[in-house]
Amino acid sequence: MTPEEVLAQVAKDVSVCTKCELHRSRKKAVPGEGPTHAEIMFIGEGPGFHENEQGRPFVGAAGQFLDQLLAQASVTRADVWIGNVVKCRPPGNRDPLPEELAACDVYLEAQINAINPSIIVTLGRFSMNKFLPGAKISAVHGQMRKVGDRYVIPMFHPAAALHQAALKPAILGDFAKLPELLKEARTGMGRSAPAVKIEETPKEEPKQLSLF
Ligand code: URA
Ligand code: SF4
């Protein structure tokens, strides 16, 4: 299957999926959306009220705040892929349960493999835990990590920042750093910086030796 076909198949599968209890209260599943070859994937938690109505990610209050954060970072929403770790709304917006996260993960895995992004921005702790198990969001937010051959940037969830005023300066600050982090990821620096230096050292050795 082509990446386009994989994404279309996932969207079709989640719309009728019954692999976990969340299907019972689902109106519309939210597969996620964005360009097939997006460089960046933003991964949130799960659909809320408006997302469940419309079948689209981040279209409610948290989505409006995310739009502002993206605009501030000069990231165009149409250029990025946006989705969630669970595709159906947890009733009353409760936290997704471990078995629901586990059941839904095959869809996200298929999406990540098809899109093959260089950068994954996790929104909230459930998405962060998939890539950085055991990490504390209060300690690692805004810090880019290399996970396998991708960069992962954990961010606070926009809804959390809307409800807890104390988190707002932190999420604003983290998104403000995004253009710089993207540049760093694009040039392949970040975590692999020491490897570049090691490569340069042997090149200089023959030159120095030839002086004597
Ligand atoms: N919160 C999320 O985590 N995802 C959405 O799609 C909307 C709100
Ligand atoms: Fe299926 Fe995921 Fe929806 Fe559960 S949340 S029913 S696993 S699509």
Side-chain angles (χ1 to χ4, degrees), residues 30 43-48 51 56-60 62-63 82-84 123 157-159:
V30 179
I43 305 178
E45 190 174 312
E51 291 77 19
R56 296 187 54 214
F58 284 96
V59 289
I82 301 182
N84 288 299
L123 303 171
H157 195 289

Side-chain angles (χ1 to χ4, degrees), residues 55 64 124 170:
Q64 281 172 23

Side-chain angles (χ1 to χ4, degrees), residues 14-202:
V14 298
S15 71
V16 294
C17 177
T18 56
K19 279 173 14 95
C20 85
E21 288 299 300
L22 294 181
H23 82 277
R24 298 191 187 280
S25 46
R26 165 183 75 215
K27 191 161 178 182
K28 284 188 177 165
V30 179
E33 63 188 30
T36 306
H37 299 291
E39 180 188 25
I40 312 171
M41 285 177 85
F42 285 80
I43 305 178
E45 190 174 312
F49 176 85
H50 294 282
E51 291 77 19
N52 182 51
E53 295 291 316
Q54 297 179 37
R56 296 187 54 214
F58 284 96
V59 289
Q64 281 172 23
F65 187 38
L66 178 61
D67 287 344
Q68 277 178 36
L69 292 164
L70 291 176
Q72 181 202 304
S74 309
V75 173
T76 307
R77 181 161 170 153
D79 289 342
V80 301
W81 192 89
I82 301 182
N84 288 299
V85 285
V86 293
K87 313 306 190 195
C88 304
R89 183 192 184 203
N93 298 345
R94 65 156 170 77
D95 289 346
L97 300 172
E99 57 267 32
E100 295 160 354
L101 292 161
C104 213
D105 190 55
V106 289
Y107 300 121
L108 182 56
E109 276 296 316
Q111 291 170 321
I112 293 170
N113 287 333
I115 295 165
N116 194 21
S118 336
I119 301 153
I120 292 176
V121 178
T122 62
L123 303 171
R125 65 187 199 283
F126 293 100
S127 166
M128 175 190 69
N129 277 339
K130 174 174 167 61
F131 304 97
L132 305 169
K136 288 264 173 290
I137 189 130
S138 54
V140 303
H141 67 91
Q143 295 169 24
M144 187 164 73
R145 305 283 163 103
K146 192 104 188 254
V147 177
D149 52 5
R150 306 185 207 286
Y151 289 90
V152 172
I153 310 172
M155 299 285 201
F156 283 116
H157 195 289
L162 277 182
H163 295 127
Q164 299 172 62
L167 295 183
K168 209 166 172 188
I171 199 171
L172 286 168
D174 289 346
F175 269 81
K177 284 194 308 192
L178 199 50
E180 203 174 306
L181 292 175
L182 300 183
K183 229 188 268 173
E184 208 180 301
R186 281 177 188 143
T187 53
M189 297 295 285
R191 300 275 135 183
S192 59
V196 176
K197 280 200 190 106
I198 289 161
E199 259 174 42
E200 280 168 1
T201 320

